[in-house]
Amino acid sequence: MKSAQSIASINDFVIKFANVNGSGSASANELFARAVMRMGVPVAPRNIFPSNIQGLPTWYEVRVSEAGWLGARGGCDMMIAMNPQTWDRDVASLDAGGYLFYDSTKPMPASKFRDDITVLGVPLTAMCNREYTDPRQRQLFKNVMYVGALIALLDMEFGVAEALIVDRYRGKDPLIQANVHALRLGYDYVRAYLPCPIGLTIRRADAVGDRIFIDGNSACGLGAVYGGATVTGWYPITPSTSVIESFTSYCRKYRTDPDSGHARYAAVQAEDELASIGMVIGAAWNGARAFTATSGPGISLMQEFFGLAYFAEIPAVIFDVQRGSPSTGMPTKTQQSDLVACAYASHGDTRHVLLFPENPYECFTFGALAFDLADRLQTPVFVLSDLDMGMNESLCKPFDWDDSRRYDRGKLMTYEELEAGKDFGRYLDVDGDGIPYRTIPGTHPTKGAYFTRGTTRNAYAKYSESGADYVYNMERLRRKFDTAKNLVPAPVLHAASQPTRFGAIHYGSTSPAMAEASALLEADGIHVDTLRVCGFPFCDEILQFIADHEQVFVVEQNESGQLRSLLINEGEIDPKKLVRVLHYDGSPITARFISGRIADALSDRKISPIRKVAS
Amino acid sequence: MTYLAKPKLLSADAPRNALGYTRRDYEGAISTLCAGCGHDSISASIVQACFDLDIEPHKVAKLSGIGCSSKTPDYFLGNSHGFNSVHGRMPSVLTGAALANRNLLYLGVSGDGDSASIGIGQFAHAMRRGVNMTYIVENNGVYGLTKGQFSATADKGSKSKKGVLNSDSPIDLAALALQLGATYVARSFSGDKEQLVPLIKGALRHNGPALIDVLSPCVTFNNHSGSTRSYDYVRQHNEAVNRVEVILPRDPIETSYPPGSLRRIVQHDGSILHLRKLDVDYDPSDRIGAMNHLQERQALGEIVTGLLYVDSSAQDMHSHLNTVEKPLNQLGDAYLCPGSKALEALNALLR
């Protein structure tokens, strides 16, 4: 059956794969996404998966966009419907004129289809049953077969996917042959029995450039390696676990002593999140660069230790890969809802330094930078990623490193300085920036030792219950926080093409959708300056941006507008000036959503131009 | 914890160890614990052990949690870095510190509230993880800082100072450490310095997790007639299984005990433990035997003290993790950062 109004698009559409968790489809789906990328067409895939191991539905959404938009688009032009359990929902979710690809081994009644879509059936199970006897092979190669079918349907180059298989299984010839054979089976069937190419096609382009394709968690782990981390205490939790897996994997490659075979790092799987941050604090106190990776529930558990590290002034790096909250929330869905919990983690007047990467490149660079900042400021530094950025591969500029760069270990007083009689007061503000000097255990036989504690002390680290000593410390910590304002990465401004009274502030993985939303709004004559916040505390440029605009939209992925709350609280901003644009259903925010909300808001206020964009 | 430093008065003929240090060099600030507190005796034993072993004070990192016992690291080894962390979580902080620098000595001081309640998880995992440390529990069966509640080590049937009967069974931290894989397990009494000092010395020389559960009566809240942690009760029910002496290879110590009852145990670092067994059937290299012995004596209402178990071939966490010999906190940029060329190669793989 075929619709008269099928979607026709070259290098600009969305394909969704509906699978069953545990069916081995992930590598096949990724093969397809990479093949698109290798044809020079930008691609943005996203896993939508349940919190279980096997049996529940899972989707893999691939956005193909030669224009380079990497945010989620919304909608679906082609569905690879491999999960009977979600069939009705999947069919319904197709845009009119879309394409439905399914396993036609078992006949489906007409009532299971729609009149306004194109249906493409391939008897995948029957083909697998003829070709393979092993049940697992039948399942795995069925996935590769539908990729082969797609290569034909979308008019892609077979050799591109074939080369990817060769790269993936290099040195394992039987695996290469078997996978290429399955790919060819799917491809040949479609070429022989279905009209192809369909309206959606991939044409070779040159829009990827030298960009790389990697997930944010892997980039965070690599950032920790380059940042000089040697100790991690960690506890498994979705979606942050692969940060540690990446770190240890890269360490095995780059940090194994060539002569002895010994490790130049230590990774300990702790008994819980409390122990993991405890290990980090102990290691950092003793002069190692140390970090942990966790998610919202882990952040909750670590609170007491965050307060200790803040008040005792111990460096620590925490990668928080945010997920749906509160409580267990939506463990495999994305959100940006740990912002306030991290900014003010622990009881009392604590304030923490936060970094907001927007993509894997910044997961790497901010990840490495976090260790310098933690040492320089002697305080915990949080790198706030999220599931969307952390667990999905995306295109980003290639990693780079300045070999002349040296780690900033901050104010460490040495044996020589102590020996020379330099005054050492652990909490003495020598330079007026709020940052004191510290010594590492074992530095000097008779000088520089001090007692670290979470209770009040004087400038020389002696226990004190004096109110004056407490106030001295708190004011110094405030000065230190002010110092941090100029050390965190500066915000990134994208000015609208015309002067405007309106601005939008956003952070992290919202960035690609925000960029596309700006373009959509501009196309409708609505001009909005955008500012991406890269760190907390907020620097003056952010506050100036708000002051310079009559109305500022704050775009984020949580229910309460946490970035907005922080801006109001820390910048003493009039709440009326900041308009919430909130998306928090667990799916990544889309350009359509942002532009729709901003256009609606401006329309409601009867501020021209008021043309709405399609939502 | 105190802000009062001890006066720097020193007798000219004060004994000095091989490093030229006097015992004063191993002391800390003036204790603010109650007069007669058993914890101060333990601090004195730590001072004595470190002095005897010629340990450089600044090569010791002393860590604790929260509570009366956890205050004590301020009162010894004043030239060591100390860390008063959070309640019950000293073991993880110590583990991290030990990961950073394997060349320091790690001394963890904790209490029964700290280790047997909120911290029992971290206590257990530090023992099984093989952290190279001396973990001293100053065990008085009561919460002193909050004025007299039972701790988890308090015996069932004992009474609080206010007359409340304890209906819960006690946790035996030594028995737990044995079960969890600690490779040096001892129990002592803060009033028995003759036994405690050698046990601490043995623990400091041990390569692996060493637990010493020290019964340390609380003079203010748990030294009354209904208590099973009072000085009188412990003295009456104390049965030592052996006596321990540490003899360093470079400086042998003659023992005054009959040679026929000595047992030699060569430790990982070459130091030798000489155990004088009071119980002829007791074998301190037998973990299961030690566990049985503890249970049997406990059933009789007795407190077993002495070196209960030692594994002379123990390996520590760094061996398990296969880390480099050089402390991780001393590795420079060149050893840690793979550089731009490695990134270029990695980028090529990611396209």
Side-chain angles (χ1 to χ4, degrees), chain A residues 67-295:
Chain A
W69 301 121
L70 301 178
R73 190 201 71 177
C76 176
D77 302 303
M78 184 173 192
M79 178 68 70
I80 314 300
M82 302 302 291
N83 184 2
Q85 193 184 343
T86 57
W87 175 274
D88 292 340
R89 199 188 335 171
D90 293 336
V91 171
S93 69
L94 264 173
D95 288 0
Y99 300 84
L100 178 74
F101 177 98
Y102 80 113
D103 180 354
S104 60
T105 302
K106 287 184 182 174
M108 298 283 279
S111 63
K112 301 297 278 183
F113 300 109
R114 276 167 46 185
D115 291 335
D116 60 346
I117 59 174
T118 300
V119 177
L120 305 158
V122 175
L124 294 169
T125 301
M127 291 165 68
C128 281
N129 288 348
R130 278 198 302 273
E131 199 71 21
Y132 308 104
T133 52
D134 178 65
R136 187 62 182 156
Q137 280 191 333
R138 283 176 172 171
Q139 176 60 57
L140 292 175
F141 287 126
K142 184 162 71 178
N143 302 328
V144 181
M145 263 185 216
Y146 70 61
V147 174
L150 269 180
I151 300 285
L153 288 167
L154 302 176
D155 203 24
M156 297 170 66
E157 295 169 24
F158 185 85
V160 169
E162 187 177 26
L164 275 168
I165 289 173
V166 171
D167 286 351
R168 178 179 290 177
Y169 300 111
R170 191 171 294 283
K172 297 171 182 170
D173 287 348
L175 275 177
I176 292 172
Q177 289 161 15
N179 277 277
V180 171
H181 179 64
L183 194 74
R184 175 64 72 180
L185 283 174
Y187 182 85
D188 287 348
Y189 181 91
V190 167
R191 299 282 292 187
Y193 298 104
L194 292 176
C196 63
I198 56 173
L200 306 177
T201 52
I202 302 287
R203 291 232 184 109
R204 187 168 278 281
D206 190 20
V208 172
D210 67 346
R211 282 183 286 179
I212 59 172
F213 192 57
I214 189 171
D215 62 275
N217 282 358
S218 295
C220 285
L222 187 67
V225 174
Y226 273 74
T230 53
V231 176
T232 177
W234 68 287
Y235 188 72
I237 183 171
T238 301
S240 73
T241 303
S242 54
V243 172
I244 303 297
E245 289 169 345
S246 158
F247 175 74
T248 52
S249 171
Y250 285 124
C251 279
R252 276 195 293 276
K253 185 173 180 179
Y254 298 127
R255 293 266 194 82
T256 300
D257 188 273
D259 299 324
S260 65
H262 294 322
R264 292 176 183 153
Y265 69 99
V268 175
Q269 183 180 322
E271 55 269 32
D272 53 34
E273 284 87 347
L274 287 74
S276 65
I277 189 66
M279 288 178 198
V280 169
I281 288 169
W285 171 76
N286 210 2
R289 290 192 151 187
F291 77 102
T292 192
T294 190
S295 188

Side-chain angles (χ1 to χ4, degrees), chain A residues 355-368:
Chain A
L355 304 180
F356 309 128
E358 68 161 346
N359 59 20
Y361 176 78
E362 286 191 349
C363 285
F364 170 72
T365 54
F366 286 17

